[in-house]
Amino acid sequence: MTDDTATIDRADTSEFRSVAAATGEPVGDPFPVHGLSDVDAACAAADAAFDAYRSTDRETRAQFLEKIAEEILAIGDDLIVAAILESGLPRARLEGERGRTIGQLKLFAGVVRSGAWLGLRIDPAMPDRQPLPRPDLRLRMIPLGPVAVFGASNFPLAFSTAGGDTASALAAGCPVVVKGHPAHPQTGALVAEAIGRAIAACGLPAGVFSHLVGPGNDLGSALVKDPRIAAVGFTGSRGGGLALLALAQARPVPIPVYAEMSSINPVLLLPAALASRGAALGAAFVGSLTMGSGQFCTNPGLVLAVEGEGLDAFITSATEALLTAEASTMLTPGIHAAYSKGVETLAGKPGVELLARGKLGAGTTCGQAALFTTTAEAFLSDESLGHEVFGASSIVVKCRNTDEVRRVIEDLEGQLTATLHMDSQDEAMATELLPALERRVGRILANGWPTGVEVAHAMVHGGPYPATSDARTTSVGSLAIDRFLRPVSYQNLAQSVLPPELRDDAARDGVPRLLDGALDLG
Amino acid sequence: MTDDTATIDRADTSEFRSVAAATGEPVGDPFPVHGLSDVDAACAAADAAFDAYRSTDRETRAQFLEKIAEEILAIGDDLIVAAILESGLPRARLEGERGRTIGQLKLFAGVVRSGAWLGLRIDPAMPDRQPLPRPDLRLRMIPLGPVAVFGASNFPLAFSTAGGDTASALAAGCPVVVKGHPAHPQTGALVAEAIGRAIAACGLPAGVFSHLVGPGNDLGSALVKDPRIAAVGFTGSRGGGLALLALAQARPVPIPVYAEMSSINPVLLLPAALASRGAALGAAFVGSLTMGSGQFCTNPGLVLAVEGEGLDAFITSATEALLTAEASTMLTPGIHAAYSKGVETLAGKPGVELLARGKLGAGTTCGQAALFTTTAEAFLSDESLGHEVFGASSIVVKCRNTDEVRRVIEDLEGQLTATLHMDSQDEAMATELLPALERRVGRILANGWPTGVEVAHAMVHGGPYPATSDARTTSVGSLAIDRFLRPVSYQNLAQSVLPPELRDDAARDGVPRLLDGALDLG
């Protein structure tokens, strides 16, 4: 969801330093830059560690994830200070993000212990079946292999070095090679060192985790092309995600890419809700839009409603709130530049009216919020109005009737979320729109705001293309472990040769399995 | 696993007729050929039927699958007669294949009823949680959308019109558009009519299933490119599968392709087994190799063993058995031509020795079996020796020691299966080789033959590239339903708006769900 190619392409590798987000100025000592031989070494180490790591028992792996969480917390305030400097995000947000990062690791420790992800299935032999006997068949999920994870600019902790992709891949039994985001080398280095300490404390092979840093795209390209890498996790811009996808598909052996890329997260204001509380919704909407300078994948970039008094009240209230919205530092100078250009382009589109801009910030990289409006007719005739502007920019689309609302929904690309603001009188309309929304989004929420993604079992942070490159998965929540697994079937294997969890005498500890097609909790 | 481009590219569409596999001659009346407008109409109908079909209750959908099975059986012997003519396969095999096709449909009826595929998850709200309340989150799997299925040449029933891909997609709630294999238009038409009767009997929209037939690749290409198609199932040649994959990836909205393509299915003869029963294994091997003219995706095209008396006995016995192996009609003249060319090419490779050819058949399209041998050194120095020759051709690779066996395994591309022939004294070696095999194959079997794929819960008919285009799934067995599903999360939705199975008062009937992370059988 971000576009910061400008920051990534720093040619002078001898001066790869932290850049203070607030000033755009390099600070501190230069970081050593990794090269292609480091990519090779990291992938070789990951490949060599794979069989040993995937054969660790569940308790060992769970404790390893918990140890990473402990070591990250043990870094103390140095981590928060580095992240504030490099991302420009405020302390409270980063402390919260650290809590979320640790929570994710602990969630996956629990997932690993549960063993449900093993997907155990046993179809016992039927030696007397006619016309042919049935063999003994047993199935389990195994990890795909070493995973390349790309750190995200907008979550220096929760979607980066030890973020969701790393946690779910390690939980699945995959070694991880992280390509750290160039905007936060110091934050990434501190977390990578913490993971290294956890590896040592748990007696695991060092190749279970490697961290590569440097400017430019060469490192990342080489990583995705390395034949030992079996899957890719990415959160970033549409351009970046599609570039990695193309590299992965052009390999002699193509691999899955889980890229979370682009979403404008439509918010639907249904008639009764709009009539009863249009003004209150407008103010609350601006709170969600401008939080963290709007730098969330789930930022509400599109509002849909039928025109009338309710929508007028929403717009008036939102406009007022936006005029006084404070500008805050954006993640990188490149992201700030892309945001400013995106807002300028939208303002120049025929049929698009600027409702308000937020306050100008003090710093050169502060994102000034922007609110636009247009008609359904104009929106439907210019697909560029549906493209993401990463930052605190949103567009209110006035529809003449419910049919136009539906037509705009059906015209949308794939999205991470859709939000319904509704009262009980709106339930029939919500029910009618639900199938069209389900076909286009990964999460449908009511009477809230899409920002704030709960790390939970029933969360989906994903969705149809181009929200992600693979709608069959999620990048947040416990279901994410499935991304990095594939099934293997064992037929008539001797007990001693079978994987331990598939043997007749396996210590099951409540791990569920499908026995002859029926769920067996053992 | 087949290559019959020659047969598919028949330019004269006005004379699209059945071709008798035994003679290569067209027979019967010409079939109407579908055009691009038919592709458009089929996809429009599938798209229009999608929401209605996916909202059918589980019992309705299960009964529909059972009704298809019933209608296929009700066609009677006409179906078998047509399939014999068009495929050249013997009656007993086709009657067995019909039984398997019906069994698959019934298996998926049971899967649909179980409801486990819904993947229900509920994380109840925690309104008092600090610092932020947790919303109510509910998750279910929904079908991807209309699926394009390509009929296979080598299973005119079980992997074609109402085959595994169709059954699993319909079970998941996806309408299906089949592109029938041009080698069996009559067989396909009879099955498609049976599905049509089942749709009518169950009162479902006609667009739930469409059947397109014709020569050439245009129909299939248009189908994969149609924006309303959400996924593709294919069983066929590597070239064909990769062509569809490229089309799917180049779409404005890329879609998943499940292509089962190419595998030589290594058979490992471990030392103790070879010493105790080398000769018996040789004879049994030839039985698996030559069954059905070797036209199985899981045909054993590679044998690996350490040289010595045991392997000599295996080779002597296999050679003798092969010399008397009867030749039988191959599926199409194109497949026969590709097989003959593949055998000829292998015979001309340096370091490859022809051990024996089977009997010459009476017909012009009979496949004459072939057995070769080579050394591990030669095999490792020429990657083309690892390419599939579709038909009854296999190569025995003599290794000097266990290390060479391992090196050959590590050199192999992805495979559907690996077979171990082993005695109890071989268990240590099997255990040592298992991790390398798991990383390369979808199914590992002991003391049997890879041909014969059980339709079961614990089956994996899949494997790493190029065995398939997506190792994360299977094309046979109940797990195949997962291919056509993706997760959607519902946050704070009113009970009346939630999908029925996620409501508090859902009639659960034992459908499992994850409640706050714990399995709940309700």
Side-chain angles (χ1 to χ4, degrees), chain A residues 189-323:
Chain A
L190 289 170
V191 174
E193 286 160 19
I195 298 175
R197 288 192 294 274
I199 288 175
C202 297
L204 295 171
V208 165
F209 179 85
S210 296
H211 188 235
L212 302 169
V213 290
N217 296 326
D218 291 353
L219 278 187
S221 299
L223 183 57
V224 172
K225 287 197 244 179
D226 191 285
R228 293 158 296 200
I229 293 297
V232 176
F234 171 85
T235 299
S237 70
R238 189 159 170 173
L242 294 183
L244 296 183
L245 191 61
L247 285 174
Q249 290 172 343
R251 289 166 46 120
V253 175
I255 54 174
V257 172
Y258 302 109
E260 196 252 89
M261 300 186 290
S262 174
S263 183
I264 57 169
N265 304 295
V267 173
L268 281 69
L269 309 172
L270 300 196
L274 203 51
S276 72
R277 50 197 161 95
L281 285 171
F285 159 69
V286 171
S288 173
L289 173 66
T290 58
M291 180 168 61
S293 270
Q295 299 167 115
F296 293 98
C297 320
T298 53
N299 198 54
L302 181 72
V303 177
L304 289 181
V306 176
E307 58 193 4
E309 280 179 25
L311 183 56
D312 292 344
F314 175 91
I315 288 176
T316 302
S317 157
T319 303
E320 277 171 22
L322 198 96
L323 285 167

Side-chain angles (χ1 to χ4, degrees), chain A residues 67-85:
Chain A
K67 187 70 182 165
I68 296 173
E70 187 186 318
E71 291 289 348
I72 288 173
L73 207 52
I75 302 169
D77 207 48
D78 286 358
L79 181 61
I80 302 298
V81 169
I84 292 172
L85 175 82

